[in-house]
Amino acid sequence: MLPHEVPARASDLSGLPPVFIEVGAAEVFRDEAVEFAGRIWATGGQAELHVWAGGHHGFAGTPGARVSRAARAGAA
């Protein structure tokens, strides 16, 4: 995969535009998302990270769930 296809796997994250990262606490990719944000911050970049308690993979696709509503409100 090329770095622009999966930015988290790029060796150099400097120069990225501001990044919004949202992940559920029960998401299988949670640790990877948190690490990605940390790597951006380490280069002096800007990342907004939200880890939603109770969120699972694809939680935003469950519109009636409390965590989904909170995530939508937080992104606004």
Side-chain angles (χ1 to χ4, degrees), residues 13-71:
L13 298 179
S14 62
L16 288 178
V19 177
F20 179 86
I21 303 167
E22 178 174 71
V23 66
E27 160 70 61
V28 68
F29 300 113
R30 180 202 60 214
D31 294 344
E32 183 178 344
V34 172
E35 179 185 351
F36 180 45
R39 290 180 56 217
I40 292 169
W41 294 324
T43 68
Q46 295 179 15
E48 182 176 341
L49 172 65
H50 295 262
V51 180
W52 296 99
H56 54 80
H57 186 76
F59 75 93
T62 310
R66 186 177 321 166
V67 65
S68 300
R69 292 191 314 264

